[in-house]
Amino acid sequence: MGEQISFPRQSARTQRFTLGVPRNFAVGPERVAFLRARSGTDRVTCLWVYDLATRAERLVADPARMPDAGEEDLPPEERARRERLREGAGGVVAYAADEAVRRAAFALSGRLYVVDLDDPDSGPRELPVVTPVVDPRLDPTGERVAYVSGGALRVVGADGSGDRALADPDGPHVTWGLAEFIAAEEMGRLRGYWWAPDGERLLAARVDDTPVQRWYLSDPADPGDQPREIAYPAAGTANADVRLAVVSLDGERVDVAWDRQVFPYLVNAHWSRYGPPLLAVQSRDQRTLRVLAVDPATGGTEPVAEDTDPYWVEIFPGTPAWTPDGRLVTVRARDGAYQVFLDEEPATPGLNAHSVLAVTESGVLFRGWAEEPSEIHVFRVGADGVARLSAEPGVHAAAGNADTVVLTSARLDRPGTETRVLHGGVEVGRIASVAETPVISANVTLLKAGERALSCAVLLPRDHEPGRRLPVLMDPYGGPHAQRVLATHNAHLIPQWFADQGFAVVVADGRGTPGRGTEWEREIAYDFAGVTLEDQVDALHAVAEEYPDLDLSRVAIRGWSFGGYLAALAVLRRPDVFHAGIAGAPVTDWRLYDTHYTERYLGHPDEKPEVYDANSLLADAPRLSRPLMIIHGLADDNVVAAHTLRLSRALLEAGRPHTVLPLSGVTHMTPQEVVAENLLLLQVDFLKRALGV
């Protein structure tokens, strides 16, 4: 067996224990399709099916056994799509099935494959099409596959016949059928076309990036490499021009009309057999979201719902949609919570919705919070009201149809996830996870701290003896759309490892983080810096009152992305509390971050320049008096490295010593095994030196 693997190496090798976990479920009447690697260290994802009758799994597509197995050759559009998804694995990382889950299509190294899921003797077959292929999707009947290649939306028969273009780009920066950067990164819309339920037409997005400013990313470690041009819509600048058309299989095109001047953002689209196509469009200030019904014959649109908010209207995956009886499914902020609406009636009183998962004959399947923000449960709104499908405390997700639900559950008292198949609410089988078991266990306590009852996780060294004073490490994200304090074991493994190096680790979710209703989230409006930092300080002091071994004379803070911003902010503005910081991929000047995210919370920079100044870190550079390490991937196209370089320049001009760790070839993710492992080790070394541990 040899020497036991270290946790940093195991965490890096398993991509934080995500490899080998079943995911991306498509549920049909007879089978469930899903993705999973062969083991917890295998980065090549395979396509599988679970037979509902025999309760047996079957491997459908293994890239290692397919032609040209080896390192993937990904087109730029696919690399960008994976970056938006934070997808670090390879192989079959996405697929699309028909409505009955009898057939699936996927791309591998830019080539198109189709496989019959109901035939155990059938393997993937490559279709002769124009390459490289991006985002292939079967129509609901399973007879045709649409895909994008060279910016054109194309279609081919599932038997490989009739490959042709339905919509060609009419400009150098125009694409059909792909989501623009801002939709994929901030709206959760990762697709750019939608099939009609009969498979005869498509609703397709035309994206023109011409108005968007150009930035250039290069790798200084390879000066001979050409810089990569990206269209990046920074706050206050122009977005891509996004339009829609209904495209027939014969190439006939009907443009969809709506007031794009007032509603430039295409948030989502939906086309099912239960009603006409639906669009969700949003104003630039995001205070109004309108749902439109589309007439496919004329392209005309009619408003069917509208939601407004003095701050912003939140976007929810899975909405809008039609129910089988023709009611409109939306999620709206009402009575301090995000409620599922059926037409104009709230259907989920007392619950706070996270996302809509499926709309079927048996009801609306959705995720949400009840009372405890660290737990996310699965519910169904049906004829008999609201029923909770997930019983145990933890974080749950699901996919399903009218009869069958695949429920994935993670709990605090055990590592990993469990995936159960429910039929009529009764468990009929399980889909196995082959993820590795961590070599350490998280010994975490969840508590509510301070007068705001901030959700906190506290982790001490597993060999800690009461009475021994411990330096403190705050480990937040702290911003919108992400929680760190969750009732799952694996969420606390890295904090536990830091604790085992001799720290008391405190993770706190402050105002602005999800799970506690609309007013809680809107507390950060126009004030990232003040509100989020205040809550970290309050959480630290409140936890220290319950844990007297915490040494408040030695406090550090680390974070990534928004958490990196928060870490740098903490040592710059509250050196009386925080004595060292590690800022990973931090936003340092919000004028350099994208339109949809930044303007939602801080407003337009031309209208509120003082807000952007107050939330920037650059003017605070002369105040630095504590050790600060800044880490940034030079290939990051989300939070570009200019954020770190501008802060570093300001610190240098102010004569303030600091540490910068540039990561060549690394994006906003760090999936590379050696990089991910050594980042943990270097951070611990820095913290120990900075705090005198």
Side-chain angles (χ1 to χ4, degrees):
M1 294 292 291
E3 187 176 349
Q4 186 183 48
I5 190 172
S6 69
F7 173 79
R9 173 57 62 91
Q10 187 190 31
S11 179
R13 182 170 295 177
T14 61
Q15 294 192 350
R16 298 188 179 184
F17 305 94
T18 60
L19 300 177
V21 177
R23 59 187 176 98
N24 294 57
F25 301 98
V27 183
E30 299 178 15
R31 65 191 60 83
V32 175
F34 64 96
L35 300 180
R36 187 184 62 203
R38 281 182 166 273
S39 75
T41 57
D42 190 347
R43 295 194 175 206
V44 178
T45 311
C46 303
L47 177 62
W48 305 72
V49 294
Y50 176 88
D51 190 282
L52 293 172
T54 65
R55 304 185 185 182
E57 296 177 3
R58 176 168 53 88
L59 178 59
V60 171
D62 182 355
R65 298 179 180 178
M66 294 173 64
D68 298 326
E71 186 174 351
E72 291 183 272
D73 181 17
L74 300 177
E77 297 89 346
E78 176 62 15
R79 290 187 184 277
R81 193 189 69 84
R82 294 189 185 190
E83 182 66 24
R84 305 284 75 79
L85 279 167
R86 309 296 188 259
E87 175 65 73
V92 186
V93 298
Y95 72 98
D98 61 343
E99 189 173 34
V101 193
R102 296 180 60 248
R103 185 172 281 163
F106 60 90
L108 196 61
S109 290
R111 295 156 68 175
L112 176 58
Y113 293 88
V114 168
V115 60
D116 295 324
L117 303 178
D118 57 357
D119 183 359
D121 299 322
S122 172
R125 59 184 186 276
E126 183 180 355
L127 302 189
V129 297
V130 175
T131 59
V133 170
V134 179
D135 195 25
R137 293 179 182 271
L138 280 159
D139 80 276
T141 70
E143 296 301 315
R144 307 168 190 86
V145 184
Y147 66 98
V148 178
S149 184
L153 179 62
R154 304 182 64 89
V155 68
V156 63
D159 59 0
S161 64
D163 181 35
R164 60 198 183 278
L166 298 181
D168 282 310
D170 53 349
H173 300 296
V174 174
T175 60
W176 281 92
L178 294 177
E180 73 276 19
F181 171 90
I182 210 71
E185 182 66 42
E186 304 299 358
M187 301 183 205
R189 178 171 63 78
L190 291 152
R191 59 191 301 184
Y193 69 91
W194 299 261
W195 276 105
D198 61 2
E200 296 295 328
R201 291 174 292 186
L202 302 98
L203 189 63
R206 176 190 179 274
V207 174
D208 185 356
D209 272 339
T210 302
V212 183
Q213 66 180 1
R214 261 48 189 181
W215 285 357
Y216 300 89
L217 303 183
S218 62
D219 186 355
D222 187 359
D225 195 22
Q226 287 279 355
R228 179 166 62 97
E229 179 183 288
I230 62 171
Y232 193 93
T237 68
N239 285 301
D241 178 63
V242 181
R243 309 184 183 204
L244 276 174
V246 177
V247 182
S248 300
L249 295 181
D250 60 6
E252 181 184 350
R253 196 168 81 205
V254 176
D255 292 331
V256 176
W258 79 93
D259 191 341
R260 293 185 299 106
Q261 294 298 316
V262 176
F263 298 100
Y265 287 128
L266 174 63
V267 171
N268 205 358
H270 167 84
W271 200 348
S272 74
R273 61 179 180 273
Y274 304 135
L278 291 171
L279 310 180
V281 295
Q282 195 176 42
S283 58
R284 174 79 184 238
D285 65 11
Q286 300 177 59
R287 296 175 184 173
T288 305
L289 186 145
R290 180 173 290 176
V291 180
L292 305 171
V294 180
D295 182 342
T298 67
T301 57
E302 179 184 356
V304 292
E306 185 169 292
D307 197 11
T308 61
D309 189 277
Y311 293 100
W312 64 82
V313 178
E314 196 63 64
I315 293 171
F316 290 90
T319 64
W322 294 116
T323 64
D325 59 0
R327 289 180 292 173
L328 180 68
V329 180
T330 56
V331 176
R332 309 183 197 182
R334 295 293 186 274
D335 300 325
Y338 294 113
Q339 296 194 47
V340 176
F341 271 63
L342 299 177
D343 285 338
E344 296 300 317
E345 295 298 322
T348 58
L351 299 177
N352 198 21
H354 172 282
S355 55
V356 171
L357 305 171
V359 180
T360 72
E361 288 80 0
S362 59
V364 178
L365 196 67
F366 73 98
R367 296 180 80 202
W369 298 269
E371 298 178 355
E372 174 50 55
S374 67
E375 298 180 16
I376 305 176
H377 287 277
V378 174
F379 304 85
R380 176 180 273 145
V381 181
D384 298 327
V386 181
R388 193 169 103 179
L389 277 63
S390 50
E392 300 175 330
V395 173
H396 308 265
N401 57 26
D403 303 311
T404 304
V405 172
V406 177
L407 181 67
T408 299
S409 303
R411 289 173 35 177
L412 192 62
D413 59 355
R414 65 180 181 226
T417 61
E418 288 185 348
T419 301
R420 295 179 291 158
V421 181
L422 309 178
H423 187 80
V426 178
E427 182 177 328
V428 297
R430 298 200 171 196
I431 297 175
S433 170
V434 294
E436 284 206 353
T437 301
V439 294
I440 66 172
S441 297
N443 181 22
V444 58
T445 300
L446 303 185
L447 53 85
K448 298 293 188 292
E451 62 181 17
R452 296 187 189 91
L454 299 166
S455 294
C456 294
V458 180
L459 302 100
L460 305 179
R462 285 173 293 169
D463 61 356
H464 176 65
E465 297 178 0
R468 178 163 60 95
R469 300 281 282 169
L470 293 169
V472 184
L473 175 61
M474 301 293 288
D475 189 14
Y477 177 80
H481 292 281
Q483 291 175 270
R484 289 289 311 280
V485 182
L486 293 168
T488 70
H489 187 271
N490 284 19
H492 306 289
L493 288 172
I494 289 179
Q496 181 64 62
W497 180 79
F498 274 99
D500 290 342
Q501 311 314 303
F503 298 89
V505 179
V506 178
V507 184
D509 285 344
R511 284 169 288 176
T513 57
R516 295 186 61 168
T518 58
E519 294 182 7
W520 179 265
E521 294 185 18
R522 282 155 175 72
E523 288 277 350
I524 61 169
Y526 313 121
D527 188 18
F528 278 158
V531 167
T532 57
L533 181 55
E534 180 182 2
D535 284 353
Q536 294 301 312
V537 174
D538 289 352
L540 170 68
H541 291 154
V543 169
E545 291 182 3
E546 297 198 32
Y547 289 83
D549 289 345
L550 272 61
D551 184 355
L552 297 189
S553 69
R554 296 182 295 169
V555 178
I557 183 170
R558 69 180 285 269
W560 194 268
S561 196
F562 192 99
Y565 165 76
L566 189 49
L569 179 74
V571 294
L572 288 168
R573 298 195 183 179
R574 293 301 304 269
D576 57 316
V577 176
F578 300 98
H579 308 99
I582 298 176
V587 176
T588 63
D589 182 353
W590 289 101
R591 289 181 175 89
L592 289 176
Y593 201 58
D594 69 52
T595 52
H596 195 270
Y597 182 99
T598 313
E599 293 172 15
R600 180 191 313 155
Y601 303 114
L602 301 184
H604 195 288
D606 292 346
E607 299 171 359
K608 296 186 177 293
E610 72 284 357
V611 170
Y612 280 74
D613 293 339
N615 286 278
S616 172
L617 302 180
L618 301 185
D620 293 302
R623 302 171 60 179
L624 182 66
S625 60
R626 300 296 191 185
L628 173 63
M629 172 187 277
I630 314 172
I631 306 169
H632 218 121
L634 299 181
D636 195 336
D637 65 354
N638 177 25
V639 183
V640 295
H643 286 275
T644 282
L645 296 176
R646 291 189 183 187
L647 177 59
S648 179
R649 180 177 63 189
L651 291 169
L652 182 62
E653 290 173 347
R656 301 301 177 184
H658 60 286
T659 300
V660 175
L661 183 59
L663 306 177
S664 177
V666 172
T667 65
H668 204 59
M669 305 183 290
T670 53
Q672 299 90 340
E673 183 175 321
V674 175
V675 171
E677 175 188 13
N678 287 328
L679 269 180
L680 290 178
L681 299 173
L682 288 171
Q683 288 178 67
V684 165
D685 179 68
F686 174 84
L687 292 171
K688 287 185 174 181
R689 286 187 287 107
L691 297 181
V693 178

